[in-house]
Amino acid sequence: MLSFSEKDPQFMPLYRSFHESMRNLFGCRVYKISVDAGFDCPNRDGTKSSGGCLFCDARGSSSRTHQEGTSLQEQILKNIAVRKQRYKGEKFIIYFQSFTNTYAPIEVLQEKYDTALKTHPDIVGISIATRPDCVDEEKLDLIASYQKTFPYVCIEYGLQTIHDTTLQKINRHENFSDFVHALELSKKRTISTCAHIIIGLPEEGRQEILETADAMAQYALDGVKIHVLVAMKNTPLADYYQQGLWKPLSFSASISLICDFIEHLPSECVIHRIAGNGHPQHLIAPLWMKEKKQEIIPEVIKEFTKRSTHQGSHCLFFTSL
Ligand code: SF4
């Protein structure tokens, strides 16, 4: 994949991909192993709300393996075996993906994280997806403690946008200030940070999206994950779509906005992922995501080439390129 490469000095980097950054760190192929540890979410269990975020499909925006009775160890061993055989993966990062993975008492968190990390000798790190309002000093101390044993420890915050009015519209029940506070606590402990961002949120245009990108640069996020908003079955967003209250982005608009977003990020920021999750069977809109999902990255590369730009080209903050 075209991205950052140190092998060819003439090679112009377009964006810093997660796989490339892991190869630089570990010198081999590293894959994330997604797990469902059976956590819930305060935005679904009635603590903050019972409806969930506008786009959340009640499976925690990912596969709900836990409900099928698969233990943490089984999930990890099975996924590692597949990654080794199919993709020649050598090292692995356990990715606590489903729902809110710091939403439990500290003893429960420690038991789950410890269990996962001990499952296989080729595990080199942990990445924990959560809501910014679900961390505190004690939980982050626990997460930071894994840095003594593992070279990669990351926390992935579901931010989506920096705009509080949008966060309110999507029923997020938290504010940008919650994210800033969680980020400060994480950075104080040198935990690697990643923010999940959504492009195509209701009533957000290019300006709002670029303001979010600029904030990521300003707050020096170590990484971002860029999603294009999709409506999945049984979500409030699917109802919005069917009532004509939300119009999904076209394929070409998505490519253009993804490139705009990445141009505003500093070159050091790792792009964990472009596009997003969601099983095609459950997709309601946009339907192009079914056939064209694999074309997103090649098209992003084409668009950068056409523009003669790359990650950091329009970054307002320090970039080493
Ligand atoms: S915070 Fe995550 S799991 Fe909870 S409702 Fe929102 S998208 Fe779903």
Side-chain angles (χ1 to χ4, degrees):
M1 177 190 297
L2 286 171
S3 58
F4 279 73
S5 172
E6 290 169 355
K7 286 182 196 144
D8 177 0
Q10 301 301 313
F11 191 90
M12 174 55 78
L14 296 175
Y15 72 91
R16 187 179 295 276
S17 76
F18 178 75
H19 280 291
E20 197 67 28
S21 76
M22 287 296 105
R23 188 177 276 284
N24 289 340
L25 184 61
F26 293 103
C28 64
R29 285 187 189 193
V30 182
Y31 284 92
K32 276 190 190 176
I33 301 295
S34 299
V35 296
D36 174 2
F39 291 111
D40 207 326
C41 173
N43 207 21
R44 299 207 69 96
D45 72 0
T47 304
K48 288 216 154 184
S49 127
S50 53
C53 300
L54 196 68
F55 50 82
C56 184
D57 64 359
R59 296 175 305 139
S61 295
S62 74
S63 57
R64 184 93 260 214
T65 348
H66 187 77
Q67 284 176 357
E68 292 157 13
T70 317
S71 75
L72 210 43
Q73 291 103 321
E74 279 177 275
Q75 294 175 47
I76 293 167
L77 292 173
K78 194 174 150 203
N79 285 335
I80 287 182
V82 171
R83 296 280 179 301
K84 273 181 180 276
Q85 198 194 19
R86 205 175 291 168
Y87 307 112
K88 307 280 174 261
E90 293 167 78
K91 300 285 177 198
F92 304 95
I93 289 159
I94 301 300
Y95 176 37
F96 282 83
Q97 180 183 20
S98 302
F99 286 78
T100 302
N101 292 280
T102 56
Y103 187 51
I106 193 86
E107 308 75 42
V108 177
L109 297 181
Q110 181 159 18
E111 192 271 320
K112 289 187 190 278
Y113 302 158
D114 285 356
T115 302
L117 288 168
K118 282 182 199 149
T119 300
H120 196 285
D122 292 334
I123 292 168
V124 289
I126 184 169
S127 201
I128 297 168
T130 194
R131 287 169 59 92
D133 62 358
C134 284
V135 294
D136 56 29
E137 304 260 0
E138 191 186 29
K139 289 174 181 176
L140 289 170
D141 280 344
L142 169 67
I143 293 167
S145 73
Y146 294 109
Q147 293 175 113
K148 287 184 213 132
T149 326
F150 295 94
Y152 185 79
V153 175
C154 179
I155 188 146
E156 301 190 20
Y157 289 117
L159 170 66
Q160 325 310 351
T161 172
I162 63 162
H163 301 285
D164 285 344
T165 44
T166 313
L167 290 173
Q168 214 177 339
K169 272 182 210 135
I170 64 173
N171 199 40
R172 190 78 199 169
H173 286 274
E174 60 185 349
N175 295 318
F176 180 52
S177 59
D178 293 312
F179 171 77
V180 173
H181 179 61
L183 193 65
E184 280 166 2
L185 295 181
S186 308
K187 280 186 168 286
K188 212 166 83 184
R189 292 163 173 81
T190 67
I191 299 169
S192 183
T193 53
C194 173
H196 291 210
I197 300 301
I198 298 181
I199 287 176
L201 287 166
E203 292 171 49
E204 284 209 353
R206 185 171 178 274
Q207 188 183 330
E208 287 77 16
I209 292 166
L210 291 186
E211 282 165 1
T212 295
D214 291 339
M216 298 303 96
Q218 184 182 3
Y219 284 93
L221 265 289
D222 298 301
V224 297
K225 199 175 265 188
I226 305 166
H227 301 272
V228 174
L229 187 62
V230 295
M232 306 300 286
K233 264 184 203 163
N234 304 322
T235 60
L237 187 62
D239 297 338
Y240 265 48
Y241 172 69
Q242 271 141 7
Q243 291 162 25
L245 299 172
W246 168 72
K247 196 168 172 279
L249 288 175
S250 67
F251 180 69
S252 60
S254 302
I255 301 299
S256 180
L257 288 167
I258 290 168
C259 290
D260 294 342
F261 191 92
I262 295 175
E263 285 169 358
H264 278 243
L265 297 176
S267 62
E268 298 81 5
C269 184
V270 174
I271 313 297
H272 284 239
R273 191 167 183 174
I274 300 176
N277 302 318
H279 198 286
Q281 265 185 337
H282 302 288
L283 182 73
I284 299 283
L287 288 175
W288 61 257
M289 191 59 92
K290 269 190 194 167
E291 298 92 35
K292 290 186 148 188
K293 191 171 167 181
Q294 301 309 325
E295 291 175 36
I296 292 177
I297 289 176
E299 285 299 319
V300 163
I301 289 165
K302 263 197 226 164
E303 179 69 16
F304 277 137
T305 310
K306 197 171 92 190
R307 296 181 184 189
S308 299
T309 60
H310 49 74
Q311 181 174 344
S313 286
H314 300 311
C315 181
L316 303 177
F317 299 87
F318 175 74
T319 173
S320 63
L321 272 178

